[in-house]
Amino acid sequence: MSDSTPGDQQNVETSHGRSFQQGDHTYALPTDNGEHSRLDLQHEAVRIMLEGRLYQTPELVRQALAQAEDGTINILDVGAGSGRWAIEMSEEFADAKVLGIDLALPSVLSDTTRSLPSNCSFRVLDVNQDLAKLDLTFNVIHTRFVEPGINDTDLFFYDVARLLRPEGALLLVGANAQIVDDQGKVFPLHKPGEVGTLPAEASLLEEVSVGPPAFMPWMGDMHYDGAEAMSFNLVSMLESNPNYSRINVSEIPNGVTRPVEMTEAQRKLSEIMQKNLLLLLPAFKAIMLRDGGFPSEFAENLFEGSRKEIEELPPAVRGYANFVFVTAVRSDMPWVPRTQPWQEPPGYDVYDYIIRPL
C-alpha cells in the first residue's frame, strides 16, 4: 500500500523498554506494539458503547460520504494508533479511500499473516506540525483520544476545517475520567498544594491515575490542557469557529454501574476497561522513570501496589469515565483562518472540570 511501508520516518525513541515520541513529549503515552494492543481494547470498548458501530451518527456520516468530489470519497483518521478504526472503515466503505496518520505506523503493517484493504493507507505525520502536508480534502475526519497530544486544540480545529469538504463531518471521541468509590461517588481532584482527599486504601491507584500534590510538578509536564477540552472547552471552541455548524455532543458513562445491575454489554465493557487500565500501568511506569526522576524501586512498588488494588483487593475505588462523542459539520462558506486564539472564560480553572484521561 502507498504511504504505509515500514520505511516511513518514525520520530520515536526508546526509554525503559517502551517507544515514545522523540524529543517533544507532548503526547506522553507510548507509540509501540504494546500500546497498540491496548488501543485495540479501547476500540472494542467504543464499539460496544456505539452498539457495534464505528461512529456515533450514521446518518451524518452517510450524508458526508455522499459529497463525492471528482468521484472520490476520502476519510482521514487523525491519531490512527493501532489502525483498527481506519482498517474497519475501509472495509465498511469499499468505495472510499481511508488514510490514517500518527506519530508511528500501526504494528499491524508488520504482520505478514494479514493483508490490509487496498483502499486503506497510513502515514507518519505529527498533527501539531504536519497537517499542511496533506494535499487532499476529506468527507469525514475522525479523532479519538488525541486531545492530550495536541498543543493548541483551537488551532487544530481550524486546521481540520481547512481539510474538510463542505458538509463534511468531524467526529471526535474523548473521555473525561475520575476516580470514584464503589457507590459511584466522585472523589474531588485536589489542586497543587492541597491535602489529598482520597481514602488511604485508594492512595496507590490514585497516585498513578490522578496524581497527588507531591507528583503535580511531574504530572503537570503531561499534556492535560487538551484533555480537559473534551467537556467544556471543546464545544465552546467549535461553536466560536465560523467554519463549523450543527455541533452535537453526547456522553456515555462507563464504570459506575454496580456489578449486580450490569447488563451483559456493560459487564463486557467493564472488563475491557479494567484490562485497559492494567495495560496503562506499565506505560505510566515508563513515563515516570523517563520524566519524573523517581527511583526504580519506588516506581516498581507504586505500580505493583496499583495492580493489586485493581486485580486483588475489594473495589474501594473504581475508574470512571464519561466517554464524550462530538460531531460538527463543515459549513459551505470558504475556509476562515483563525484571527485570535480562543479565550478561557473569566475565573476559569482547569481543576474545576473533569480532566484526567485514563
Side-chain angles (χ1 to χ4, degrees), residues 222-238:
M222 297 176 66
H223 196 73
Y224 285 117
D225 177 65
E228 150 311 293
M230 290 273 70
S231 55
F232 176 78
N233 288 6
L234 187 148
V235 174
S236 177
M237 289 177 186
L238 288 172

Side-chain angles (χ1 to χ4, degrees), residues 96-116:
K97 293 182 179 179
V98 183
L99 172 64
I101 63 172
D102 209 330
L103 297 168
L105 293 173
S107 53
V108 68
L109 295 181
S110 60
D111 184 354
T112 58
T113 66
R114 180 171 182 178
S115 60
L116 299 183

